[in-house]
């Protein structure tokens, strides 16, 4: 039962974002601007929750050892992702949509450029968090965490420039859901670490 709860908690945000990606306009135009803005306002609290997929398998207070240090790195990466990717959503989503709906198309390009820089910083932070999480879980649970870690890292790479746009962005979110589910399920089992009797 605990495994199912952790898998659901870890996979719900990327699944929600995948569904939202199906409704995301492909381009910001005067006719899509209102929808673009409303969608990004609604998604402001959703994008940071993507980091739950890395936080859930590491739940608990970090010890004063290498695993604890790596856990803190993972937490810091998740925080960096949440802050910077929210910046992308606010700038290239809410602000660009608002400006675009008022006919100031020349400003949209500048907002997209700034938003892209924020988004890349956020995804780089998420990638650091994924690497640190994978290292901790590998040390705790052995090689059974590798499939999930590899899928999450692949999703991070795709997320750099796919956002949640259909089709690639939607599949990126689905890959996060699969990877997070595999990590959470592997981490919910008994520890694979060898101990002295």
């Amino acid at each position: 039962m605990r495994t199912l709860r952790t898998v659901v908690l870890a996979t719900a945000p990327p699944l929600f974002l995948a569904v939202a990606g199906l409704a995301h306009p492909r381009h910001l135009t005067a006719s899509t601007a209102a929808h673009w803005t409303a969608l990004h306002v609604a998604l402001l609290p959703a994008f940071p929750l993507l980091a739950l997929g890395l936080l859930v398998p590491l739940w608990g207070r970090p010890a004063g050892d290498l695993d604890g240090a790596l856990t803190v790195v993972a937490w810091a990466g998740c925080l960096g992702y949440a802050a910077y990717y929210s910046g992308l959503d606010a700038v290239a989503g809410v602000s660009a949509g608002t400006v675009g709906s008022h006919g100031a198309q020349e400003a949209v390009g500048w907002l997209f450029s700034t938003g892209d820089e924020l988004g890349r910083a956020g995804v780089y932070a998420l990638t650091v968090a994924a690497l640190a999480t994978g290292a901790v879980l590998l040390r705790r649970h052995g090689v059974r965490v590798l499939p999930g870690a590899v899928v999450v890292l692949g999703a991070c790479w795709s997320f750099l420039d796919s956002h949640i746009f259909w089709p690639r962005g939607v599949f990126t979110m689905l890959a996060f859901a699969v990877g997070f589910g595999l990590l959470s399920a592997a981490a919910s089992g008994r520890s694979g670490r060898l101990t002295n009797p």
Side-chain angles (χ1 to χ4, degrees):
M1 188 62 143
R2 178 180 180 271
T3 300
L4 179 60
R5 280 195 311 259
T6 60
V7 168
V8 168
L9 186 59
T11 60
L15 290 174
F16 175 78
L17 289 169
V19 171
L22 297 173
H24 197 297
R26 300 233 7 188
H27 303 286
L28 175 57
T29 64
S31 63
T32 63
H35 179 83
W36 182 284
T37 303
L39 181 66
H40 284 91
V41 167
L43 293 177
L44 276 172
F47 276 110
L49 293 177
L50 186 66
L52 282 177
L54 299 174
L55 296 173
V56 167
L58 296 177
W59 209 255
R61 193 164 79 183
D65 57 6
L66 179 59
D67 285 359
L70 288 169
T71 297
V72 171
V73 169
W75 290 355
C78 288
L79 176 62
Y81 158 75
Y84 285 101
Y85 211 84
S86 292
L88 161 70
D89 199 34
V91 172
V94 178
S95 297
T98 302
V99 167
S101 69
H102 289 89
Q105 294 298 327
E106 66 282 352
V108 169
W110 291 103
L111 292 169
F112 278 170
S113 177
T114 301
D116 286 346
E117 289 177 28
L118 292 169
R120 274 192 300 277
V123 176
Y124 289 144
L126 187 66
T127 304
V128 168
L131 288 167
T133 300
V136 172
L137 296 179
L138 181 63
R139 290 171 49 82
R140 287 183 187 168
H141 303 284
V143 296
R144 69 177 182 236
V145 303
L146 288 178
V150 168
V151 172
V152 169
L153 287 172
C156 285
W157 175 80
S158 180
F159 196 28
L160 270 171
D161 62 357
S162 68
H163 190 52
I164 60 170
F165 292 110
W166 169 260
R168 196 166 129 228
V170 171
F171 286 112
T172 298
M173 291 300 114
L174 293 175
F176 273 124
V178 169
F180 292 158
L182 290 170
L183 280 179
S184 294
S188 294
R190 290 182 42 200
S191 175
R193 182 186 280 181
L194 297 175
T195 56
N196 292 327

